[in-house]
C-alpha cells in the first residue's frame, strides 16, 4: 500500500528496490496518454506498434514522441 506513489518511486530509486506499482504497467499507462495526446494534436488516427514502440509509417507522429532536452538532463543515444 502506498499513499504517495511519487514518494515510493523516489524511495525505490534510493534503496535500489522495485516500486509498489509495476514499472511496465506505469510505462504502458503513460504511453496510452501520450498517444491519445498526439492523436488529438494531429486530429487524426494514428497507428502504434506496441512491441516496437513506434508509429507505423508516420514521421509526423514520430516527431512528437520526443522533444529537445536541456543540458545536463539530456539522454545520449
Amino acid at each position: 500500500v502506498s499513499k504517495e506513489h511519487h514518494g515510493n518511486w523516489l524511495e525505490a530509486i534510493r534503496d535500489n528496490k522495485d516500486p509498489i506499482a509495476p514499472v511496465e504497467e506505469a510505462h504502458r499507462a503513460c504511453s496510452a496518454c501520450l498517444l491519445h495526446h498526439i492523436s488529438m494534436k494531429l486530429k487524426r488516427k494514428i497507428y502504434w506498434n506496441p512491441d516496437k514502440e513506434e508509429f507505423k509509417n508516420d514521421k509526423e507522429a514520430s516527431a512528437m514522441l520526443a522533444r529537445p532536452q536541456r543540458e545536463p538532463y539530456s539522454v545520449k543515444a
Side-chain angles (χ1 to χ4, degrees):
V1 175
S2 175
K3 294 181 181 180
E4 213 264 280
H5 280 280
H6 188 256
N8 173 254
W9 176 71
L10 293 172
E11 290 169 4
I13 293 169
R14 181 192 66 211
D15 299 339
N16 197 27
K17 294 181 179 178
D18 288 333
I20 291 172
V23 175
E24 181 67 21
E25 289 180 25
H27 172 70
R28 294 295 181 189
C30 184
S31 294
C33 294
L34 293 171
L35 296 174
H36 180 262
H37 181 76
I38 291 171
S39 182
M40 275 189 351
K41 287 283 196 183
L42 295 174
K43 297 181 179 157
R44 61 180 167 81
K45 289 183 180 182
I46 53 176
Y47 299 92
W48 181 249
N49 180 331
D51 295 324
K52 294 183 178 181
E53 294 196 353
E54 63 186 24
F55 291 105
K56 298 176 183 176
N57 303 319
D58 195 329
K59 290 181 182 179
E60 186 179 17
S62 293
M64 298 175 80
L65 287 172
R67 60 188 170 96
Q69 302 290 306
R70 67 181 174 90
E71 294 295 338
Y73 303 103
S74 63
V75 177
K76 306 292 184 219

